[in-house]
Amino acid sequence: MNKKIGRILKTNVTLYMLCLTLFVLAAIPVDVRLAIAEAVIAVMVYLLCRKRSRSTQQSLRQYLDRLSGGMDSARSSNMLFAPLPMMVFSLHREEILWGNDSFMQLSGKGEAIFDMQVDAVVPQFNTHWLLEDKRECPDLVTWNDRLYRVFGAVSRHGEMGQSDEPLATTYWMDVTELEQARQTLELTQPVAAILMIDNYEELMKACPESKRSAVLAALEEKLNQWAAPSGGLLLGYDRDRFLFLFEEKNYTDYAEKHFDILERVREVVAGEGVAATLSIGIGRDGDSFEELFKNASMALEMALSRGGDQAVVKDRMNFDFYGGRSKATEKRTKVKSRVMANALGELIDDAKQVYVMGHKYADMDCLGAAAGICCIARKKGKRVQIVMDTENNAVHPVLRKLRALPEYKDVFIGGGDAFIRVQPGTLLVVVDTNRPGSVESEPLLETCNRVAVIDHHRRGSSYIEKMALNYHEPYASSASELVTELLQYLVEPGDLLHEEAEALLAGLVLDTKNFTNRTGGRTFEAAAFLRRRGADTQEVQRIFQSDLQSMISRYDIIRQAELYHEDIAIVALEEECDRVIAAKAADELLTLKGVQASFVLYKKDNGVYVSARSLGDVNVQVIVEALGGGGNSTTAGGQLSDTTVSESYEKLLARIDQYFEN
């Protein structure tokens, strides 16, 4: 083996010496002294090269001796002919110095690999990981249509007798079959999906009984045609639900087509023009079928809580959303309102203390809903407090009126004080938000064991999970509407103060844009109830009045608007702006002819805020959600941290393009 190493590392100086000799001979006729000087230099070069060659050979022998642990010649021979390919190369020059027979056989070049560059033998082999003192290549190496996992080590400083020539030893393990088996296993992982016809009742009511079977047959045909290419199992297990089991390799195809079955089922129309809609919950990345079905159920619940007519995918960590662009139709029943009212009443009866908390920078809907819950708690004889930042909010006119009432003495409290005073058995009622990151005090939310959520916003991937009661209706116009319905079952006509009724009505007016947006029959019923309880519509109108400077600022924002896709108005403000003024400007932009949606970007603190509005055809919640925001299909907002307005503007345009492409 030593002879082989010597032959490998022996420096070939013959060519160099031949050239130098020719120079010496050529110099003799010209100048003998010059020829003598060149001859002396040639001899010195020869001696230096020979010495360096011997030193390199000796260093590598010592290194390989240490590598083999002082093996005898038989064991050294085993290393040379070991089945695991090995290669030694200069880390700085990246020249191959040695390789065993297995490695030479893989290369197909035999001993010709010696003194060749590493990338000439193994193209695109990255050696940086060795310089980082790693023992395993982070990526698999593709070589001659095979996959290799490469391990290696570098000789330490001074180990080779030459500190400037570190050597790397690599070991090559063929994992081609193993990787193919792993990929096959990943592609054949089961995926569970629950498909629900989410407007089943409306479909059945819209067509005569004689045609119902034909409508259901048409739906099943659409589902079967969609599921057939995957070779999966599709079976109905309830009148409006189907279970679909397929493999992971088919999931990519469905996702790339954005679950086009959502569009296909709309082609099935009942007698009175009611189109079928589908909600899909998909569970992936589960260790068992039970876990897959659980993930699919959670995904379906998420899809329904966001308004239905969409697909939601739940894996081990995250939610992914597809569809959800159509307008949500009202699907609530008064039976559910009565059940929720009774459940909330029981929770308040059992509570020692009641806190009501909304989102940060409270608006009229948030305060109105909180005031309604205060009325219910007061009727039950429970001490109640509203957790709110009384300085940073958009409700100062209503807040001043409520704080002047004796019933609201010491009712408002900051998040920090509430967290300190919280007691075991406290009930926390969260209104007008379902996201833990949006509440006024996250520590308070985490501390309370009993939480009730009353909200109308579409649920996002992050939502409050530990809930004793969840009254979540994305079809409602506002949280104030939901609380107003609860009041009808829990309080007497004289228990609701007219100031509370006006706060609730103000919440309705705000979120419905004066009853022009997201309104249903139940919205007007709630408004009529509040009007009968003393709410003054003129006083509510005064609440929304603004001063002259605010109006001027609002129109300054509108002047900077630009149209995108011809029907989307966008304003990107480089200066800071009041949140209420920006929101009102976004509302005003919708009054422009042809504008379907509006976005206002503005600087605030260390980030960029976005206020989004829509007339209904464009789902702004889906767009803003990708930027870290939330809301509902017509009103949404968000905050982007550690970024500039221009960067946020580009992200918004990219997200709008993606929305329309999908």
Side-chain angles (χ1 to χ4, degrees):
M1 183 175 179
N2 287 339
K3 291 180 180 179
K4 187 177 186 71
I5 294 171
R7 185 170 69 254
I8 293 169
L9 296 179
K10 185 176 181 180
T11 306
N12 189 0
V13 297
T14 304
L15 182 61
Y16 305 120
M17 293 308 301
L18 179 61
C19 292
L20 291 174
T21 302
L22 292 175
F23 276 113
V24 172
L25 294 175
I28 291 175
V30 179
D31 190 338
V32 175
R33 287 177 297 178
L34 178 61
I36 294 172
E38 289 181 351
V40 172
I41 293 173
V43 172
M44 292 176 64
V45 169
Y46 174 76
L47 294 175
L48 182 62
C49 289
R50 187 172 181 180
K51 181 180 179 181
R52 186 168 183 82
S53 177
R54 288 178 178 176
S55 176
T56 302
Q57 293 178 44
Q58 182 180 1
S59 298
L60 184 57
R61 288 192 186 98
Q62 292 174 355
Y63 173 69
L64 292 177
D65 285 341
R66 284 195 296 272
L67 185 67
S68 59
M71 298 183 297
D72 55 25
S73 59
R75 293 185 179 179
S76 297
S77 178
N78 288 340
M79 188 178 78
L80 186 64
F81 300 106
L84 190 66
M86 297 173 59
M87 175 181 68
V88 180
F89 63 94
S90 168
L91 199 55
H92 286 173
R93 293 182 287 117
E94 293 196 354
E95 291 182 357
I96 298 177
L97 303 178
W98 178 83
N100 65 359
D101 285 358
S102 297
F103 187 84
M104 288 188 287
Q105 187 176 5
L106 285 177
S107 69
K109 301 179 185 296
E111 295 186 4
I113 66 172
F114 303 126
D115 290 333
M116 291 180 65
Q117 292 295 116
V118 172
D119 59 0
V121 178
V122 187
Q124 299 180 345
F125 175 49
N126 190 346
T127 60
H128 290 164
W129 57 279
L130 290 163
L131 294 172
E132 297 170 358
D133 202 27
K134 295 180 180 178
R135 297 305 177 98
E136 180 180 346
C137 183
D139 301 313
L140 294 178
V141 178
T142 303
W143 185 27
N144 294 336
D145 298 325
R146 305 286 293 180
L147 292 173
Y148 294 89
R149 187 172 299 281
V150 183
F151 303 90
V154 180
S155 60
R156 294 303 172 198
H157 188 80
E159 282 186 4
M160 300 297 299
Q162 292 174 260
S163 60
D164 62 339
E165 189 70 14
L167 300 184
T169 303
T170 55
Y171 309 85
W172 298 65
M173 180 183 295
D174 191 338
V175 294
T176 306
E177 285 74 19
L178 182 63
E179 279 299 304
Q180 290 174 348
R182 184 186 64 79
Q183 293 176 8
T184 300
L185 180 62
E186 289 181 353
L187 293 175
T188 55
Q189 285 287 315
V191 179
I194 301 175
L195 290 72
M196 177 181 176
I197 305 168
D198 53 30
N199 64 340
Y200 179 87
E201 295 291 342
E202 288 81 358
L203 283 174
M204 295 300 100
K205 291 178 180 178
C207 62
E209 187 173 353
S210 59
K211 296 184 179 180
R212 291 177 182 176
S213 58
V215 171
L216 294 177
L219 281 170
E220 290 188 14
E221 183 181 2
K222 294 287 186 183
L223 296 177
N224 285 322
Q225 290 176 352
W226 176 72
S230 69
L233 173 66
L234 176 68
L235 59 93
Y237 69 96
D238 202 348
R239 62 176 187 172
D240 57 353
R241 299 192 181 210
F242 298 82
L243 178 64
F244 181 33
L245 298 176
F246 57 101
E247 293 181 337
E248 184 71 28
K249 62 184 178 183
N250 303 113
Y251 169 76
T252 304
D253 295 333
Y254 288 134
E256 287 179 350
K257 295 177 181 178
H258 301 282
F259 296 93
D260 56 353
I261 185 62
L262 298 172
E263 301 289 340
R264 295 188 198 178
V265 296
R266 295 196 194 104
E267 298 173 3
V268 179
V269 181
E272 298 180 3
V274 178
T277 57
L278 190 70
S279 292
I280 306 174
I282 300 168
R284 299 175 61 210
D285 196 21
D287 295 329
S288 63
F289 281 102
E290 181 182 4
E291 185 174 347
L292 286 174
F293 189 79
K294 179 180 178 182
N295 286 347
S297 300
M298 293 175 62
L300 180 63
E301 180 185 354
M302 175 70 76
L304 294 173
S305 69
R306 291 164 58 86
D309 191 26
Q310 59 190 283
V312 178
V313 182
K314 172 74 170 70
D315 57 21
R316 198 180 299 269
M317 299 295 295
N318 302 311
F319 286 96
D320 291 320
F321 305 98
Y322 299 86
R325 295 172 52 183
S326 63
K327 296 180 181 179
T329 56
E330 187 172 3
K331 301 178 183 179
R332 294 181 294 142
T333 65
K334 290 190 175 182
V335 175
K336 183 176 182 179
S337 299
R338 185 172 64 252
V339 171
M340 288 296 172
N342 293 334
L344 179 62
E346 292 176 1
L347 287 173
I348 295 176
D349 286 334
D350 296 338
K352 295 181 179 180
Q353 183 182 22
V354 179
Y355 281 134
V356 188
M357 179 169 64
H359 53 75
K360 298 172 184 174
Y361 204 82
D363 57 13
M364 294 295 183
D365 188 32
C366 179
L367 180 57
I373 299 299
C374 282
C375 177
I376 297 172
R378 189 170 64 244
K379 174 67 175 179
K380 298 285 186 179
K382 299 292 182 178
R383 174 172 171 75
V384 59
Q385 289 184 291
I386 299 176
V387 181
M388 177 185 292
D389 186 340
T390 55
E391 298 297 330
N392 297 315
N393 59 69
V395 293
H396 289 291
V398 177
L399 186 60
R400 284 193 297 268
K401 292 178 65 175
L402 291 176
R403 296 181 78 172
L405 299 173
E407 290 86 353
Y408 279 81
K409 183 180 180 181
D410 299 327
V411 165
F412 293 94
I413 185 173
D417 293 337
F419 175 70
I420 294 173
R421 299 178 186 179
V422 68
Q423 303 173 1
T426 296
L427 172 65
L428 174 64
V429 182
V430 177
V431 296
D432 204 30
T433 184
N434 58 62
R435 301 174 59 186
S438 299
V439 298
E440 187 69 53
S441 173
E442 284 190 71
L444 179 62
L445 176 64
E446 295 171 356
T447 301
C448 293
N449 294 324
R450 308 181 75 189
V451 178
V453 176
I454 303 173
D455 186 38
H456 68 110
H457 295 102
R458 284 160 56 113
R459 184 178 290 182
S461 57
S462 173
Y463 60 94
I464 300 171
E465 295 184 356
K466 54 170 190 175
M467 293 178 285
L469 181 143
N470 180 26
Y471 191 20
H472 181 242
E473 291 289 355
Y475 314 107
S477 68
S478 59
S480 294
E481 178 184 333
L482 295 175
V483 173
T484 300
E485 290 191 347
L486 298 178
L487 285 167
Q488 298 178 50
Y489 299 103
L490 293 172
V491 300
E492 299 297 329
D495 294 327
L496 184 65
L497 304 175
H498 78 270
E499 290 86 356
E500 293 172 331
E502 288 174 356
L504 285 162
L505 185 57
L508 280 170
V509 170
L510 175 70
D511 277 19
T512 60
K513 307 294 184 292
N514 289 310
F515 297 96
T516 62
N517 203 356
R518 291 179 58 83
T519 54
R522 306 278 286 278
T523 308
F524 290 102
E525 289 179 10
F529 171 81
L530 295 173
R531 184 70 182 89
R532 291 194 299 270
R533 295 298 173 265
D536 188 342
T537 54
Q538 292 182 346
E539 189 64 32
V540 171
Q541 185 178 7
R542 293 190 190 98
I543 292 173
F544 290 100
Q545 286 182 326
S546 59
D547 55 31
L548 178 61
Q549 186 57 47
S550 297
M551 181 173 290
I552 293 173
S553 300
R554 188 162 70 246
Y555 283 102
D556 283 340
I557 295 174
I558 296 173
R559 284 194 308 139
Q560 303 180 49
E562 297 179 355
L563 289 180
Y564 189 65
H565 283 283
E566 298 183 354
D567 59 357
I568 296 179
I570 302 177
V571 179
L573 300 174
E574 290 293 343
E575 64 274 6
E576 291 199 4
C577 175
D578 181 74
R579 292 178 64 170
V580 175
I581 293 176
K584 288 184 176 181
D587 289 329
E588 290 270 0
L589 287 168
L590 293 181
T591 63
L592 299 177
K593 186 177 181 180
V595 173
Q596 296 296 325
S598 63
F599 297 86
V600 176
L601 299 168
Y602 57 98
K603 290 177 64 176
K604 189 76 173 176
D605 301 327
N606 295 325
V608 176
Y609 283 59
V610 55
S611 184
R613 300 292 185 268
S614 170
L615 293 177
D617 290 337
V618 178
N619 192 328
V620 291
Q621 189 266 347
V622 174
I623 297 174
V624 174
E625 184 177 51
L627 304 177
N632 54 50
S633 60
T634 58
T635 305
Q639 177 183 358
L640 293 85
S641 302
D642 301 324
T643 186
T644 64
V645 173
S646 59
E647 291 174 351
S648 302
Y649 178 74
E650 294 299 327
K651 291 180 181 178
L652 176 61
L653 295 186
R655 182 53 190 164
I656 292 173
D657 290 339
Q658 183 181 357
Y659 172 83
F660 285 106
E661 287 173 3
N662 293 345

